[in-house]
Amino acid sequence: MSRNTKLLMAVLAAEAIAQAWSGQARAFTFTTGDIVVSVEGNGSNTGSYGDNQAAPLTLYEYGVTGTSTASLAGSLMLPQTTSGGNHAISGEYGSSSEGTLQLSGNGQYLTIMGYGVNASTFNANPGSYSPSSSNTALGQSGSMTGQSYTAVPRVVALIGANGSVNTSTALYNVFNGNNPRSAYTVDGTSFYVSGQGTSGDNTGGVFYAKLGATSATSITGNDAGSGASQDTRDVQVYNGRLYVSSDSKSGSTNRSYVGTLGSAGSLPTSVANSGNGPTMLPGFGNSGGTGKVTITAGTTNGINQAGQQINLSPENFYFANATTLYVADSGAPKNSSATSALGDGGLQKWSLVGGSWVLDYTLAAGLNLVANTSASGTTGLLGLTGETVTINGKQEVELFATNYTITDTGATYLYGITDLLSATTEPTGESFAVLATAPADSTFKGVAFAPTAAVPEASIWAMMIIGFAGLGFMAYRRKPTATVRAA
């Protein structure tokens, strides 16, 4: 057998392995440049769900034209059955903080966290998965091993550009009785996961786990002690440093800000910052570390007003570059250290000036915000992703977001907006456009750009071309990539 034939066979074998990876038929291949939104509830027409029930997780893929229009290109429901080493994965319908969707550091995968249980099975007897039979919400399910109840692992789904799904990472003893928030991977071999636990059990915060693991190592440490559980949210890596957003309200976890774990250029795999939790970005809130700021005329969101002291409530965030940070703020802070109960919901733009982060302005036009004391409506944003592009010689930031609602099952939307990268005061006329609306009995949660397949090495390309010569060409869609892209 010739060397070329052997190489071609190796390529075809690798493709066969990739197809079998998910344990389910591949629905479609993602298209570079598209936007993907995570959906909890009836996103795949599987039935209606009540608040706090287990429900499938579905990914909607949208083709977009700038930030003004979007069209549904396809959908992928994550597995509801356990197969081989892969677990079923569900979300809690109505959860206000789950479903963050993130693009990997190498751009080849999407990640999302959920619960390792079939939705129908859980909903048939929810009390059997918790220390108390009266706990019926999926988020209240226990994850601790060696207990009398049936433990529900918190599962990471790793989704490839070809639609393959790996749910072999099923973590026990983390986020016990509470929600997994997000999962981030650099290259698909390991993960940072973030979420909240139960007061006093030290299962909340940020953890590190390898692909296929059943346990995880704490990164934030047990800084909650015997008090309130840590409540960390979006965890991600930017420029070789680990960042996380947090919105907690008591004890040593009394913080609502974006912070760092470990040092620049050295990603931690064990307890960082001496176990004291994330270190607040300089200037991101007050020096006491509880994440409160005084709103100015230039930073108001139309609900609050200049002179009011409010607490931040950061959810997902996006670095446009090393000195420009966009933050999706829910507008519904848990923290209550400020003198006003109002938040600053919307899309905040922060700039690094003289080593300290400064809030430039908050984009909110088009969101139809309501105060967090209202009975219903949108108070801010939850999911966020963006890319920096050059338009007519100017650097613009195209941003996509999902909204945060007061009621658990309120109407949710996918939004788009374009912001001038260099602006430090809000440009005139910037407004969010509604790109899509979540279908009935479902909610939009996280948003990320579609993953891109890895490019084979030159020798493999040659063998693939030889093979395709006999098989014909396979067409695929591709769009121009942007200058900067992040989850």
Side-chain angles (χ1 to χ4, degrees), residues 25 38 40 123 149 169 215 217 249 260 290 292 347 354 383 439 445:
S38 59
E40 284 186 336
N123 293 336
Y149 60 82
T169 308
S215 62
T217 302
K249 64 180 179 180
T260 59
T290 57
K292 56 186 178 184
L347 183 58
K445 308 303 292 185

Side-chain angles (χ1 to χ4, degrees), residues 237-310:
V237 173
Y238 176 73
N239 273 357
R241 191 161 200 177
L242 187 62
Y243 294 82
V244 67
S245 57
S246 180
D247 185 7
S248 295
K249 64 180 179 180
S250 61
S252 60
T253 68
N254 187 17
R255 53 192 177 223
S256 298
Y257 53 75
V258 177
T260 59
L261 290 163
S263 56
S266 180
L267 296 177
T269 56
S270 59
V271 173
N273 298 0
S274 300
N276 294 317
T279 299
M280 185 181 76
L281 296 182
F284 201 97
N286 60 306
S287 59
T290 57
K292 56 186 178 184
V293 299
T294 299
I295 295 300
T296 66
T299 58
T300 179
N301 66 352
I303 300 299
N304 51 38
Q305 56 187 307
Q308 285 186 315
Q309 185 190 70
I310 59 91

Side-chain angles (χ1 to χ4, degrees), residues 51-52 93-97 330 332 370-380 382 403-412 442-445:
D51 191 12
N52 299 326
Y93 178 51
S95 169
S96 61
S97 57
S330 72
V370 299
N372 54 19
T373 54
S374 300
S376 62
T378 294
T379 58
L382 175 64
N403 61 317
Y404 186 99
T405 61
I406 293 177
T407 55
D408 287 348
T409 58
T412 53
S442 66
T443 55
F444 284 165
K445 308 303 292 185

Side-chain angles (χ1 to χ4, degrees), residues 14-227:
E15 173 65 13
I17 292 171
Q19 291 188 34
W21 188 33
S22 66
Q24 63 174 22
R26 296 187 310 185
F28 60 92
T29 298
F30 289 103
T31 298
T32 300
D34 279 1
I35 291 294
V36 184
V37 180
S38 59
V39 187
E40 284 186 336
N42 189 28
S44 294
N45 298 315
T46 53
S48 60
Y49 300 89
D51 191 12
N52 299 326
Q53 282 193 312
L57 289 168
T58 302
L59 304 184
Y60 281 10
E61 182 181 10
Y62 290 93
V64 293
T65 302
T67 58
S68 60
T69 60
S71 58
L72 186 63
S75 65
L76 173 66
M77 189 175 81
L78 301 187
Q80 275 288 291
T81 57
T82 296
S83 177
N86 287 302
H87 291 256
I89 182 170
S90 297
E92 181 187 91
Y93 178 51
S95 169
S96 61
S97 57
E98 292 179 9
T100 290
L101 187 66
Q102 292 177 280
L103 184 66
S104 64
N106 63 6
Q108 297 173 19
Y109 306 98
L110 293 173
T111 49
I112 189 172
M113 281 208 83
Y115 304 82
V117 66
N118 170 272
S120 296
T121 301
F122 178 87
N123 293 336
N125 189 15
S128 65
Y129 297 92
S130 172
S132 173
S133 59
S134 63
N135 292 340
T136 58
L138 179 58
Q140 293 177 319
S141 63
S143 69
M144 307 297 285
T145 54
Q147 307 299 310
S148 59
Y149 60 82
T150 301
V152 177
R154 275 41 177 171
V155 170
V156 178
L158 181 71
I159 302 105
N162 63 354
S164 56
V165 182
N166 184 316
T167 53
S168 64
T169 308
L171 305 175
Y172 292 90
N173 305 310
V174 297
F175 317 138
N176 178 50
N178 223 311
N179 308 106
R181 309 287 193 214
S182 71
Y184 179 88
T185 184
V186 173
D187 58 10
T189 63
S190 62
F191 308 94
Y192 289 104
V193 297
S194 172
Q196 186 175 7
T198 300
S199 294
D201 70 4
N202 295 319
T203 65
V206 176
F207 294 80
Y208 173 81
K210 292 283 191 178
L211 177 66
T214 57
S215 62
T217 302
S218 177
I219 300 298
T220 44
N222 297 331
D223 74 326
S226 59

Side-chain angles (χ1 to χ4, degrees), residues 422-478:
S422 62
T424 55
T425 57
E426 185 174 352
T428 302
E430 290 190 0
S431 180
F432 286 92
V434 176
L435 303 181
T437 303
D441 293 318
S442 66
T443 55
F444 284 165
K445 308 303 292 185
V447 57
F449 278 96
T452 302
V455 178
E457 295 180 3
S459 60
I460 301 300
W461 268 120
M463 292 305 99
M464 291 176 70
I465 291 172
I466 293 172
F468 290 156
L471 297 174
F473 293 99
M474 182 179 296
Y476 63 99
R477 297 177 295 162
R478 182 175 293 272

